[in-house]
Amino acid sequence: MKTMKLERKKRIIRLAVWTWTWVATLAMATFGPKFIWDDHIFLTTFAITVNLINGILMISANRDLFNHFDEFERKIHLEAMALTLGLSVVIGLTYSLLDTTNLISGDAEISFLVMFIGITYLISTIINLKRFQ
Amino acid sequence: MKNRIRELRVERKLTQEELAEILGVSRQSINAIEKEKFDPSLTTAFKMSQLFKLPIEQLFLYQPE
């Protein structure tokens, strides 16, 4: 059964690699056009395509890891995901409304929502783990 | 659901980690099952039944809420 731990480690490493490369390609696609290749259309399209493909591979690696979870771990993560999805929709739309009604200065940035999703998922997973200990 | 997993595991001198490895689940799962905070799937319950050589109804006690 040591193979189970090894397999888990392998899947975590695979997900980490795809996540880091996704972040790197996202940074490249964001800053490259302005700072590296001077808005060259082909290079920009290429960078965005690479980032998209990388993102799909990252999702696939995440699904592989999820499929390796046992029933308890799945429960923990599914509950955390459900809470994260609900809060993201509600908070995201409230944030958007604050922007469209000009109640906040500046534009609503998608990056804030992405950060909110990450933090909410992390906190709800930790809370769920504590709950069942 | 009440269960006798902890008692049977200790009887057989198994750690939570060892039992988890035998059943192919995480140590946290065994901990949550023993503390009766999580009910295992039918597959895991049958694996436990085979391991401890006891029928499922002697491992788990269903109490309607």
Side-chain angles (χ1 to χ4, degrees):
Chain A
M1 279 295 172
K2 291 284 175 202
T3 51
M4 196 182 141
K5 277 188 176 176
L6 278 174
E7 182 60 31
R8 173 67 61 90
K9 198 176 171 185
K10 214 169 80 181
R11 289 178 194 222
I12 289 171
I13 291 170
R14 197 183 305 147
L15 176 60
V17 168
W18 284 122
T19 306
W20 281 111
T21 51
W22 177 73
V23 172
T25 53
L26 182 65
M28 188 65 93
T30 306
F31 301 112
K34 193 177 175 187
F35 298 108
I36 305 174
W37 55 77
D38 198 25
D39 288 322
H40 191 287
I41 289 176
F42 173 75
L43 289 176
T44 304
T45 311
F46 181 72
I48 292 171
T49 308
V50 167
N51 177 245
L52 176 68
I53 293 167
N54 207 322
I56 292 166
L57 290 168
M58 177 181 71
I59 293 166
S60 169
N62 194 30
R63 197 196 60 180
D64 281 350
L65 176 62
F66 191 84
N67 285 340
H68 199 252
F69 284 164
D70 67 22
E71 63 236 38
F72 175 69
E73 291 166 316
R74 282 180 192 210
K75 182 184 170 67
I76 297 279
H77 284 274
L78 280 174
E79 280 187 14
M81 278 187 235
L83 187 67
T84 305
L85 178 66
L87 279 172
S88 302
V89 170
V90 173
I91 301 291
L93 288 174
T94 304
Y95 184 43
S96 170
L97 271 175
L98 288 173
D99 180 30
T100 52
T101 53
N102 289 322
L103 284 172
I104 51 167
S105 56
D107 294 329
E109 296 289 340
I110 189 76
S111 52
F112 285 123
L113 190 60
V114 174
M115 277 192 281
F116 176 80
I117 290 170
I119 292 164
T120 308
Y121 185 50
L122 182 70
I123 292 172
S124 46
T125 304
I126 292 168
I127 291 172
N128 254 349
L129 278 170
K130 292 272 175 211
R131 242 180 67 205
F132 289 102
Q133 272 177 2
Chain B
M1 200 185 293
K2 293 215 170 293
N3 69 69
R4 297 173 55 208
I5 305 304
R6 185 181 170 80
E7 172 198 332
L8 294 164
R9 175 178 65 76
V10 173
E11 255 178 33
R12 281 158 183 76
K13 294 185 173 59
L14 288 169
T15 63
Q16 284 189 344
E17 186 78 42
E18 286 165 343
L19 180 60
E21 278 183 14
I22 293 167
L23 298 173
V25 297
S26 62
R27 192 199 56 78
Q28 287 88 347
S29 301
I30 300 297
N31 186 51
I33 293 167
E34 284 187 358
K35 290 194 170 173
E36 295 167 359
K37 289 183 175 178
F38 174 71
D39 296 329
S41 67
L42 207 49
T43 310
T44 308
F46 271 106
K47 282 182 184 175
M48 287 174 164
S49 164
Q50 283 185 341
L51 177 73
F52 295 124
K53 295 184 176 59
L54 285 170
I56 287 180
E57 57 268 31
Q58 284 189 34
L59 293 181
F60 299 95
L61 179 67
Y62 174 65
Q63 293 175 314
E65 284 170 25

